């Protein structure tokens, strides 16, 4: 017998703790997400946006939402004008995700705001994600709760942001995450 404990998951607190809505609304959203959002067909981006807004998402004008996207709770999603949400992006947003204007989230980026108290009782722990204006989260990046991606920062493909702040205008990449370069020469920084 080992002295290393095992947490009894049947006693873990927090099931449905992040819902913030009645069960019927969560289930109705699941159906609409499957048919109109996650669907791989080239359904109109504007239709996806209208459905997300109908369930409480705050989405600015001229936002592009590609196929196969997933949104756990649209009422916790906030996206600014002219942002691009690439194919297969997954917002596992048990807490709020704030995406600024002119942001690119490339194919299969995964943003998750939830984790668990793994040393205690596996209770749900959530922290928001903030992605500032002009940032680019490239393909297959993972962004964890508590992360803050600065203005016009860029994450290289397959990077993991584990709750830290990425400074404005910088390129970061890898796992473990490290600074790569400035995104723009100082004489060409956009305003």
């Amino acid at each position: 017998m080992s002295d290393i404990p095992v947490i009894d998951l049947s006693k873990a607190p927090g099931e449905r703790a992040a819902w913030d809505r009645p069960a019927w609304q969560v289930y109705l959203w699941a159906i609409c997400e499957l048919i109109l959002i996650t669907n791989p067909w080239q359904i109109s981006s504007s239709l996806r946006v209208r459905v997300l807004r109908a369930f409480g998402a705050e989405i600015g004008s001229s936002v592009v939402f590609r196929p196969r996207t997933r949104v756990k709770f649209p009422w916790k999603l906030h996206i600014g004008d002219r942002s691009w949400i690439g194919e297969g992006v997954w917002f596992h947003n048990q807490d709020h995700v704030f995406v600024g204007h002119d942001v690119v989230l490339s194919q299969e980026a995964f943003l998750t705001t939830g984790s668990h108290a793994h040393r205690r009782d596996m209770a749900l722990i959530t922290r928001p994600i903030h992605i500032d204006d002009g940032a680019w989260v490239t393909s297959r990046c993972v962004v964890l709760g508590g992360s803050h991606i600065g203005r016009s920062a860029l994450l290289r493909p397959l990077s993991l942001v584990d709750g830290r702040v990425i400074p404005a205008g910088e390129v970061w990449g890898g796992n473990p995450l490290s600074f790569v370069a400035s995104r723009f020469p100082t004489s060409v920084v956009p305003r």
Side-chain angles (χ1 to χ4, degrees):
M1 199 59 138
S2 174
D3 291 338
I4 299 173
V6 173
I7 297 169
D8 182 346
L9 295 179
S10 69
K11 297 177 183 169
E15 183 179 358
R16 300 183 181 187
W19 283 20
D20 295 347
R21 295 289 188 275
W24 69 265
Q25 190 172 4
V26 173
Y27 295 135
L28 180 60
W29 165 247
I31 294 166
C32 291
E33 181 193 30
L34 179 65
I35 295 170
L36 298 168
I37 308 299
T38 306
N39 189 321
W41 298 337
Q42 295 296 327
I43 294 172
S44 154
S45 176
S46 63
L47 176 60
R48 284 187 179 88
V49 169
R50 285 194 309 269
V51 170
L52 286 159
R53 286 177 181 150
F55 279 88
E58 296 174 353
I59 300 177
S61 64
S62 302
V63 170
V64 175
F65 242 92
R66 301 297 299 157
R68 295 189 317 103
T69 53
R70 295 184 65 187
V71 178
K72 181 75 172 174
F73 298 129
W75 47 90
K76 296 181 181 188
L77 182 61
H78 316 272
I79 300 176
D81 297 339
R82 301 177 304 277
S83 290
W84 297 347
I85 310 303
E87 189 163 344
V89 170
W90 186 1
F91 296 97
H92 193 265
N93 57 332
Q94 294 169 302
D95 205 322
H96 291 267
V97 172
F98 300 93
V99 176
H101 66 78
D102 300 295
V103 169
V104 177
L105 301 178
S106 290
Q107 299 81 359
E108 297 184 358
F110 178 57
L111 293 81
T112 182
T113 60
S115 189
H116 296 276
H118 65 275
R119 290 193 172 103
R120 192 179 68 229
D121 58 2
M122 292 299 285
L124 179 65
I125 298 170
T126 67
R127 296 187 308 164
I129 292 172
H130 295 266
I131 301 175
D132 292 346
D133 302 338
W136 182 9
V137 177
T138 63
S139 299
R140 295 194 172 179
C141 287
V142 175
V143 180
L144 303 181
S147 297
H148 189 144
I149 314 300
R151 178 184 179 93
S152 292
L154 186 149
L155 295 176
R156 295 180 69 186
L158 299 170
S159 297
L160 169 67
V161 183
D162 57 355
R164 70 173 63 193
V165 175
I166 304 302
E170 294 185 359
V171 178
W172 284 67
N175 181 10
L177 196 63
S178 61
F179 173 77
V180 176
S182 293
R183 181 171 176 187
F184 303 106
T186 54
S187 63
V188 195
V189 174
R191 298 185 194 275

Short mmCIF file of all heavy atoms in Angstrom, two decimals, residues 94-147:
data_model
loop_
_atom_site.label_atom_id
_atom_site.label_comp_id
_atom_site.label_asym_id
_atom_site.label_seq_id
_atom_site.Cartn_x
_atom_site.Cartn_y
_atom_site.Cartn_z
N GLN A 94 -15.03 28.41 -18.77
CA GLN A 94 -15.80 28.31 -17.54
C GLN A 94 -15.72 29.62 -16.76
O GLN A 94 -16.45 29.81 -15.80
CB GLN A 94 -15.29 27.14 -16.71
CG GLN A 94 -15.58 25.82 -17.42
CD GLN A 94 -14.87 24.66 -16.77
OE1 GLN A 94 -13.65 24.64 -16.65
NE2 GLN A 94 -15.65 23.68 -16.33
N ASP A 95 -14.84 30.50 -17.17
CA ASP A 95 -14.74 31.87 -16.69
C ASP A 95 -14.73 32.74 -17.94
O ASP A 95 -14.74 32.23 -19.06
CB ASP A 95 -13.47 32.06 -15.85
CG ASP A 95 -13.57 33.20 -14.85
OD1 ASP A 95 -14.18 34.24 -15.18
OD2 ASP A 95 -13.03 33.06 -13.74
N HIS A 96 -14.68 34.03 -17.78
CA HIS A 96 -14.76 34.94 -18.93
C HIS A 96 -13.48 34.94 -19.75
O HIS A 96 -12.38 34.86 -19.22
CB HIS A 96 -15.08 36.35 -18.45
CG HIS A 96 -16.47 36.45 -17.90
ND1 HIS A 96 -17.55 36.83 -18.66
CD2 HIS A 96 -16.96 36.17 -16.67
CE1 HIS A 96 -18.64 36.80 -17.93
NE2 HIS A 96 -18.32 36.40 -16.71
N VAL A 97 -13.67 35.03 -21.07
CA VAL A 97 -12.56 35.22 -22.01
C VAL A 97 -12.82 36.55 -22.70
O VAL A 97 -13.88 36.76 -23.30
CB VAL A 97 -12.48 34.08 -23.04
CG1 VAL A 97 -11.45 34.40 -24.12
CG2 VAL A 97 -12.15 32.76 -22.36
N PHE A 98 -11.84 37.45 -22.59
CA PHE A 98 -11.93 38.79 -23.18
C PHE A 98 -10.92 38.87 -24.32
O PHE A 98 -9.72 38.76 -24.11
CB PHE A 98 -11.61 39.85 -22.14
CG PHE A 98 -12.54 39.84 -20.95
CD1 PHE A 98 -12.23 39.11 -19.82
CD2 PHE A 98 -13.74 40.54 -20.99
CE1 PHE A 98 -13.07 39.09 -18.73
CE2 PHE A 98 -14.60 40.53 -19.90
CZ PHE A 98 -14.27 39.79 -18.76
N VAL A 99 -11.44 39.04 -25.55
CA VAL A 99 -10.61 39.13 -26.74
C VAL A 99 -10.80 40.53 -27.31
O VAL A 99 -11.94 40.94 -27.57
CB VAL A 99 -11.03 38.06 -27.78
CG1 VAL A 99 -10.24 38.22 -29.07
CG2 VAL A 99 -10.87 36.66 -27.20
N GLY A 100 -9.72 41.28 -27.49
CA GLY A 100 -9.82 42.65 -27.98
C GLY A 100 -10.18 42.73 -29.45
O GLY A 100 -10.57 41.74 -30.08
N HIS A 101 -10.05 43.91 -30.02
CA HIS A 101 -10.34 44.09 -31.44
C HIS A 101 -9.11 43.74 -32.27
O HIS A 101 -7.97 43.81 -31.79
CB HIS A 101 -10.84 45.51 -31.74
CG HIS A 101 -9.84 46.60 -31.52
ND1 HIS A 101 -8.83 46.89 -32.40
CD2 HIS A 101 -9.70 47.48 -30.50
CE1 HIS A 101 -8.11 47.89 -31.96
NE2 HIS A 101 -8.62 48.27 -30.79
N ASP A 102 -9.36 43.31 -33.51
CA ASP A 102 -8.30 42.97 -34.47
C ASP A 102 -7.36 41.89 -33.95
O ASP A 102 -6.15 41.91 -34.21
CB ASP A 102 -7.51 44.23 -34.86
CG ASP A 102 -8.42 45.27 -35.50
OD1 ASP A 102 -8.96 45.00 -36.59
OD2 ASP A 102 -8.62 46.35 -34.90
N VAL A 103 -7.91 40.92 -33.23
CA VAL A 103 -7.15 39.79 -32.70
C VAL A 103 -7.33 38.61 -33.64
O VAL A 103 -8.41 38.39 -34.20
CB VAL A 103 -7.66 39.42 -31.28
CG1 VAL A 103 -7.09 38.08 -30.81
CG2 VAL A 103 -7.32 40.53 -30.29
N VAL A 104 -6.27 37.82 -33.82
CA VAL A 104 -6.35 36.58 -34.59
C VAL A 104 -6.11 35.42 -33.63
O VAL A 104 -5.10 35.37 -32.93
CB VAL A 104 -5.30 36.53 -35.72
CG1 VAL A 104 -5.35 35.20 -36.45
CG2 VAL A 104 -5.49 37.69 -36.68
N LEU A 105 -7.07 34.49 -33.60
CA LEU A 105 -6.91 33.21 -32.91
C LEU A 105 -6.88 32.16 -34.01
O LEU A 105 -7.91 31.86 -34.62
CB LEU A 105 -8.05 32.96 -31.93
CG LEU A 105 -8.24 34.00 -30.82
CD1 LEU A 105 -9.44 33.65 -29.95
CD2 LEU A 105 -6.99 34.11 -29.97
N SER A 106 -5.72 31.61 -34.29
CA SER A 106 -5.56 30.71 -35.43
C SER A 106 -6.06 29.30 -35.13
O SER A 106 -6.42 28.97 -34.00
CB SER A 106 -4.10 30.66 -35.85
OG SER A 106 -3.72 31.88 -36.44
N GLN A 107 -6.01 28.46 -36.15
CA GLN A 107 -6.58 27.12 -36.15
C GLN A 107 -6.19 26.33 -34.91
O GLN A 107 -5.04 26.22 -34.56
CB GLN A 107 -6.14 26.34 -37.40
CG GLN A 107 -6.57 26.96 -38.70
CD GLN A 107 -5.68 28.09 -39.16
OE1 GLN A 107 -4.71 28.48 -38.51
NE2 GLN A 107 -6.01 28.66 -40.31
N GLU A 108 -7.24 25.77 -34.30
CA GLU A 108 -7.14 24.82 -33.18
C GLU A 108 -6.45 25.38 -31.94
O GLU A 108 -5.94 24.63 -31.11
CB GLU A 108 -6.51 23.51 -33.65
CG GLU A 108 -7.38 22.83 -34.68
CD GLU A 108 -6.88 21.48 -35.13
OE1 GLU A 108 -5.80 21.04 -34.67
OE2 GLU A 108 -7.57 20.85 -35.93
N ALA A 109 -6.44 26.71 -31.80
CA ALA A 109 -5.99 27.28 -30.52
C ALA A 109 -6.98 26.84 -29.44
O ALA A 109 -8.19 26.71 -29.70
CB ALA A 109 -5.93 28.80 -30.60
N PHE A 110 -6.49 26.58 -28.25
CA PHE A 110 -7.32 26.10 -27.14
C PHE A 110 -7.17 27.07 -25.97
O PHE A 110 -6.06 27.26 -25.46
CB PHE A 110 -6.89 24.69 -26.74
CG PHE A 110 -7.64 24.10 -25.58
CD1 PHE A 110 -9.02 23.99 -25.60
CD2 PHE A 110 -6.95 23.65 -24.46
CE1 PHE A 110 -9.71 23.43 -24.53
CE2 PHE A 110 -7.63 23.09 -23.39
CZ PHE A 110 -9.02 22.99 -23.43
N LEU A 111 -8.27 27.70 -25.58
CA LEU A 111 -8.27 28.62 -24.46
C LEU A 111 -9.13 28.02 -23.36
O LEU A 111 -10.33 27.78 -23.57
CB LEU A 111 -8.84 29.98 -24.87
CG LEU A 111 -8.00 30.79 -25.87
CD1 LEU A 111 -8.24 30.32 -27.29
CD2 LEU A 111 -8.31 32.25 -25.75
N THR A 112 -8.55 27.75 -22.21
CA THR A 112 -9.30 27.14 -21.12
C THR A 112 -9.10 27.93 -19.84
O THR A 112 -7.98 28.24 -19.46
CB THR A 112 -8.95 25.65 -20.91
OG1 THR A 112 -9.76 25.12 -19.86
CG2 THR A 112 -7.48 25.44 -20.61
N THR A 113 -10.20 28.27 -19.21
CA THR A 113 -10.16 29.09 -18.00
C THR A 113 -10.27 28.26 -16.73
O THR A 113 -10.18 28.79 -15.64
CB THR A 113 -11.30 30.12 -18.01
OG1 THR A 113 -12.54 29.41 -18.06
CG2 THR A 113 -11.19 31.06 -19.20
N GLY A 114 -10.49 26.97 -16.85
CA GLY A 114 -10.72 26.13 -15.68
C GLY A 114 -9.60 25.17 -15.40
O GLY A 114 -8.88 24.71 -16.29
N SER A 115 -9.45 24.86 -14.13
CA SER A 115 -8.54 23.83 -13.67
C SER A 115 -9.13 23.24 -12.38
O SER A 115 -10.30 23.48 -12.08
CB SER A 115 -7.14 24.40 -13.43
OG SER A 115 -6.22 23.34 -13.19
N HIS A 116 -8.33 22.51 -11.63
CA HIS A 116 -8.83 21.87 -10.42
C HIS A 116 -7.84 22.00 -9.27
O HIS A 116 -6.64 22.07 -9.50
CB HIS A 116 -9.11 20.38 -10.68
CG HIS A 116 -10.19 20.16 -11.67
ND1 HIS A 116 -11.52 20.16 -11.33
CD2 HIS A 116 -10.15 19.94 -13.01
CE1 HIS A 116 -12.25 19.94 -12.40
NE2 HIS A 116 -11.43 19.81 -13.44
N ALA A 117 -8.35 22.01 -8.07
CA ALA A 117 -7.53 22.02 -6.86
C ALA A 117 -6.97 20.61 -6.70
O ALA A 117 -7.48 19.79 -5.95
CB ALA A 117 -8.36 22.43 -5.65
N HIS A 118 -5.91 20.33 -7.42
CA HIS A 118 -5.40 18.95 -7.56
C HIS A 118 -4.73 18.40 -6.30
O HIS A 118 -4.53 17.20 -6.20
CB HIS A 118 -4.44 18.86 -8.75
CG HIS A 118 -3.20 19.66 -8.60
ND1 HIS A 118 -3.14 21.01 -8.92
CD2 HIS A 118 -1.97 19.32 -8.17
CE1 HIS A 118 -1.93 21.45 -8.69
NE2 HIS A 118 -1.18 20.45 -8.24
N ARG A 119 -4.38 19.25 -5.38
CA ARG A 119 -3.77 18.77 -4.13
C ARG A 119 -4.77 18.62 -3.01
O ARG A 119 -4.44 18.11 -1.94
CB ARG A 119 -2.66 19.73 -3.69
CG ARG A 119 -1.46 19.68 -4.58
CD ARG A 119 -0.27 20.40 -3.95
NE ARG A 119 0.90 20.17 -4.76
CZ ARG A 119 1.42 21.07 -5.59
NH1 ARG A 119 0.87 22.25 -5.70
NH2 ARG A 119 2.49 20.78 -6.29
N ARG A 120 -5.99 19.10 -3.24
CA ARG A 120 -6.98 19.12 -2.17
C ARG A 120 -8.14 18.17 -2.49
O ARG A 120 -8.13 17.04 -2.09
CB ARG A 120 -7.45 20.57 -1.98
CG ARG A 120 -8.26 20.81 -0.74
CD ARG A 120 -8.67 22.28 -0.59
NE ARG A 120 -9.63 22.65 -1.63
CZ ARG A 120 -9.54 23.71 -2.40
NH1 ARG A 120 -8.54 24.55 -2.27
NH2 ARG A 120 -10.45 23.97 -3.31
N ASP A 121 -9.12 18.68 -3.24
CA ASP A 121 -10.35 17.92 -3.45
C ASP A 121 -10.84 17.93 -4.90
O ASP A 121 -11.95 17.54 -5.18
CB ASP A 121 -11.45 18.45 -2.53
CG ASP A 121 -11.74 19.93 -2.76
OD1 ASP A 121 -11.13 20.54 -3.66
OD2 ASP A 121 -12.58 20.48 -2.02
N MET A 122 -10.02 18.43 -5.81
CA MET A 122 -10.34 18.53 -7.24
C MET A 122 -11.47 19.52 -7.51
O MET A 122 -12.13 19.46 -8.55
CB MET A 122 -10.65 17.17 -7.86
CG MET A 122 -9.44 16.25 -7.93
SD MET A 122 -8.09 16.90 -8.94
CE MET A 122 -8.74 16.62 -10.58
N ALA A 123 -11.71 20.46 -6.59
CA ALA A 123 -12.73 21.49 -6.82
C ALA A 123 -12.35 22.32 -8.04
O ALA A 123 -11.17 22.54 -8.33
CB ALA A 123 -12.85 22.38 -5.59
N LEU A 124 -13.36 22.79 -8.76
CA LEU A 124 -13.14 23.63 -9.93
C LEU A 124 -12.55 24.98 -9.51
O LEU A 124 -13.02 25.60 -8.57
CB LEU A 124 -14.47 23.86 -10.67
CG LEU A 124 -14.40 24.74 -11.91
CD1 LEU A 124 -13.55 24.07 -12.99
CD2 LEU A 124 -15.81 25.01 -12.43
N ILE A 125 -11.51 25.39 -10.22
CA ILE A 125 -10.89 26.70 -10.04
C ILE A 125 -10.92 27.38 -11.41
O ILE A 125 -10.49 26.78 -12.40
CB ILE A 125 -9.43 26.58 -9.57
CG1 ILE A 125 -9.35 25.87 -8.23
CG2 ILE A 125 -8.76 27.95 -9.53
CD1 ILE A 125 -7.93 25.50 -7.83
N THR A 126 -11.40 28.61 -11.47
CA THR A 126 -11.42 29.31 -12.76
C THR A 126 -10.75 30.67 -12.64
O THR A 126 -10.75 31.29 -11.58
CB THR A 126 -12.86 29.52 -13.28
OG1 THR A 126 -13.55 30.43 -12.42
CG2 THR A 126 -13.62 28.21 -13.38
N ARG A 127 -10.14 31.09 -13.75
CA ARG A 127 -9.55 32.42 -13.86
C ARG A 127 -9.76 32.90 -15.29
O ARG A 127 -9.66 32.11 -16.23
CB ARG A 127 -8.06 32.39 -13.54
CG ARG A 127 -7.78 31.99 -12.10
CD ARG A 127 -6.33 32.12 -11.70
NE ARG A 127 -5.46 31.43 -12.64
CZ ARG A 127 -4.14 31.63 -12.71
NH1 ARG A 127 -3.56 32.49 -11.94
NH2 ARG A 127 -3.41 30.95 -13.57
N PRO A 128 -10.08 34.18 -15.48
CA PRO A 128 -10.33 34.69 -16.83
C PRO A 128 -9.06 34.74 -17.68
O PRO A 128 -7.95 34.67 -17.17
CB PRO A 128 -10.88 36.10 -16.57
CG PRO A 128 -10.34 36.48 -15.24
CD PRO A 128 -10.21 35.21 -14.45
N ILE A 129 -9.27 34.90 -18.97
CA ILE A 129 -8.19 35.10 -19.94
C ILE A 129 -8.43 36.46 -20.60
O ILE A 129 -9.57 36.79 -20.95
CB ILE A 129 -8.18 34.00 -21.01
CG1 ILE A 129 -7.79 32.65 -20.39
CG2 ILE A 129 -7.26 34.36 -22.18
CD1 ILE A 129 -7.94 31.46 -21.33
N HIS A 130 -7.35 37.22 -20.78
CA HIS A 130 -7.42 38.52 -21.46
C HIS A 130 -6.45 38.50 -22.64
O HIS A 130 -5.26 38.20 -22.46
CB HIS A 130 -7.03 39.65 -20.51
CG HIS A 130 -7.97 39.84 -19.38
ND1 HIS A 130 -9.03 40.72 -19.42
CD2 HIS A 130 -8.04 39.23 -18.18
CE1 HIS A 130 -9.70 40.66 -18.28
NE2 HIS A 130 -9.12 39.75 -17.51
N ILE A 131 -6.97 38.83 -23.82
CA ILE A 131 -6.14 38.94 -25.02
C ILE A 131 -6.37 40.33 -25.57
O ILE A 131 -7.47 40.66 -26.00
CB ILE A 131 -6.49 37.84 -26.05
CG1 ILE A 131 -6.29 36.45 -25.42
CG2 ILE A 131 -5.64 38.02 -27.31
CD1 ILE A 131 -6.72 35.30 -26.31
N ASP A 132 -5.34 41.15 -25.53
CA ASP A 132 -5.47 42.56 -25.89
C ASP A 132 -5.51 42.77 -27.40
O ASP A 132 -5.16 41.89 -28.20
CB ASP A 132 -4.33 43.37 -25.27
CG ASP A 132 -4.42 43.45 -23.75
OD1 ASP A 132 -5.48 43.12 -23.18
OD2 ASP A 132 -3.41 43.85 -23.13
N ASP A 133 -5.91 43.98 -27.78
CA ASP A 133 -6.06 44.38 -29.18
C ASP A 133 -4.83 44.02 -30.01
O ASP A 133 -3.69 44.23 -29.58
CB ASP A 133 -6.30 45.89 -29.28
CG ASP A 133 -7.51 46.36 -28.50
OD1 ASP A 133 -8.41 45.53 -28.23
OD2 ASP A 133 -7.56 47.56 -28.16
N GLY A 134 -5.08 43.49 -31.21
CA GLY A 134 -4.02 43.24 -32.17
C GLY A 134 -3.16 42.02 -31.94
O GLY A 134 -2.24 41.75 -32.71
N ALA A 135 -3.44 41.25 -30.88
CA ALA A 135 -2.62 40.06 -30.60
C ALA A 135 -2.90 38.95 -31.61
O ALA A 135 -3.97 38.90 -32.22
CB ALA A 135 -2.88 39.57 -29.19
N TRP A 136 -1.94 38.06 -31.77
CA TRP A 136 -2.10 36.91 -32.65
C TRP A 136 -1.67 35.66 -31.88
O TRP A 136 -0.51 35.50 -31.53
CB TRP A 136 -1.26 37.07 -33.91
CG TRP A 136 -1.39 35.96 -34.92
CD1 TRP A 136 -2.28 34.92 -34.91
CD2 TRP A 136 -0.60 35.79 -36.09
NE1 TRP A 136 -2.09 34.11 -36.00
CE2 TRP A 136 -1.06 34.62 -36.74
CE3 TRP A 136 0.46 36.49 -36.64
CZ2 TRP A 136 -0.49 34.16 -37.93
CZ3 TRP A 136 1.02 36.03 -37.82
CH2 TRP A 136 0.54 34.88 -38.46
N VAL A 137 -2.65 34.80 -31.63
CA VAL A 137 -2.41 33.49 -31.01
C VAL A 137 -2.43 32.49 -32.17
O VAL A 137 -3.49 32.20 -32.72
CB VAL A 137 -3.48 33.16 -29.96
CG1 VAL A 137 -3.27 31.77 -29.37
CG2 VAL A 137 -3.49 34.22 -28.85
N THR A 138 -1.27 32.00 -32.56
CA THR A 138 -1.17 31.18 -33.77
C THR A 138 -1.66 29.75 -33.52
O THR A 138 -2.09 29.40 -32.43
CB THR A 138 0.27 31.18 -34.32
OG1 THR A 138 1.12 30.57 -33.35
CG2 THR A 138 0.74 32.59 -34.65
N SER A 139 -1.55 28.92 -34.53
CA SER A 139 -2.12 27.58 -34.54
C SER A 139 -1.70 26.71 -33.37
O SER A 139 -0.52 26.67 -33.01
CB SER A 139 -1.72 26.85 -35.83
OG SER A 139 -2.23 27.54 -36.94
N ARG A 140 -2.69 26.03 -32.81
CA ARG A 140 -2.52 25.01 -31.77
C ARG A 140 -1.83 25.50 -30.50
O ARG A 140 -1.22 24.71 -29.80
CB ARG A 140 -1.82 23.79 -32.35
CG ARG A 140 -2.67 23.11 -33.39
CD ARG A 140 -2.17 21.74 -33.72
NE ARG A 140 -3.14 21.09 -34.59
CZ ARG A 140 -2.98 19.89 -35.08
NH1 ARG A 140 -1.91 19.19 -34.77
NH2 ARG A 140 -3.90 19.36 -35.85
N CYS A 141 -1.97 26.77 -30.21
CA CYS A 141 -1.48 27.26 -28.92
C CYS A 141 -2.48 26.89 -27.83
O CYS A 141 -3.67 26.74 -28.09
CB CYS A 141 -1.33 28.78 -28.95
SG CYS A 141 0.08 29.35 -29.92
N VAL A 142 -1.99 26.76 -26.60
CA VAL A 142 -2.84 26.53 -25.44
C VAL A 142 -2.67 27.73 -24.51
O VAL A 142 -1.53 28.07 -24.15
CB VAL A 142 -2.45 25.22 -24.71
CG1 VAL A 142 -3.26 25.05 -23.43
CG2 VAL A 142 -2.64 24.02 -25.64
N VAL A 143 -3.79 28.35 -24.17
CA VAL A 143 -3.77 29.51 -23.28
C VAL A 143 -4.60 29.15 -22.05
O VAL A 143 -5.79 28.87 -22.16
CB VAL A 143 -4.33 30.77 -23.98
CG1 VAL A 143 -4.29 31.97 -23.03
CG2 VAL A 143 -3.57 31.06 -25.27
N LEU A 144 -3.95 29.16 -20.88
CA LEU A 144 -4.61 28.76 -19.63
C LEU A 144 -5.17 29.96 -18.88
O LEU A 144 -4.73 31.10 -19.09
CB LEU A 144 -3.62 28.01 -18.74
CG LEU A 144 -2.97 26.76 -19.35
CD1 LEU A 144 -2.03 26.12 -18.34
CD2 LEU A 144 -4.02 25.77 -19.82
N GLY A 145 -6.12 29.69 -18.00
CA GLY A 145 -6.73 30.73 -17.19
C GLY A 145 -5.69 31.56 -16.46
O GLY A 145 -4.66 31.05 -16.02
N GLY A 146 -5.98 32.85 -16.34
CA GLY A 146 -5.07 33.77 -15.70
C GLY A 146 -4.07 34.39 -16.66
O GLY A 146 -3.33 35.30 -16.28
N SER A 147 -4.04 33.94 -17.90
CA SER A 147 -3.10 34.48 -18.89
C SER A 147 -3.58 35.83 -19.39
O SER A 147 -4.78 36.10 -19.47
CB SER A 147 -2.96 33.53 -20.08
OG SER A 147 -2.42 32.29 -19.67
#
